[in-house]
Structure formats: structure tokens, C-alpha cells
Amino acid sequence: MMYDYPHVMSMGSGWAVIVVSLLLAIAVAAVVAAWPARRGSGSGPERVLADRFARGEIDAEEYEQRLRTLQISRR
């Protein structure tokens, strides 16, 4: 015996669209949240290097050498 419930099929496909849309929105939000923010005078490693130089942990020569190394490695 075959059951014919067309309204059940339409509700199911409607829920599928909503669920897939929500999952897609969550995935996009996760990617945006994980994207590295670029603020100020440089990204993470350059900022750490600048902070170390500002605190006097490294001298100007070492700062410039490490900064050049970082910039070359990003190319």
C-alpha cells in the first residue's frame, strides 16, 4: 500500500533549505572569525618583534635583520 503525503515532502524540503542555509552561515562566520586580522603597523610576528625592540630585548641591528627575514619569508 502506498501512502501519498505531499505536504510532508514539502515541509521536509523546506526544513532542509533552512538547515543547509544555517550551516553555510555558520561555516562562513567561522572562516571570517579565524581570518588573521591585520591591524596597525603589521601582522602578528612583526608586532611581536616591534614590541621586543621597544622593550629593549633586542637591539636595532637584530630588529632590522629579523624584520627583513620575516618580510622575505612572506613573499
Side-chain angles (χ1 to χ4, degrees):
M1 183 173 184
M2 182 160 217
Y3 296 101
D4 189 18
Y5 295 111
H7 64 280
V8 174
M9 187 60 114
S10 65
M11 282 178 49
S13 62
W15 281 110
V17 169
I18 292 171
V19 169
V20 169
S21 297
L22 285 174
L23 290 175
L24 182 61
I26 291 170
V28 168
V31 168
V32 169
W35 201 267
R38 297 197 180 251
R39 298 182 192 129
S41 63
S43 62
E46 293 168 347
R47 181 166 302 271
V48 170
L49 187 60
D51 289 345
R52 289 187 64 198
F53 178 63
R55 287 191 301 265
E57 295 177 10
I58 57 175
D59 61 1
E61 183 180 337
E62 185 175 357
Y63 171 77
E64 290 172 4
Q65 179 185 8
R66 290 180 184 229
L67 185 60
R68 278 193 305 272
T69 303
L70 283 172
Q71 291 169 343
I72 289 171
S73 67
R74 290 180 188 244
R75 292 183 190 168

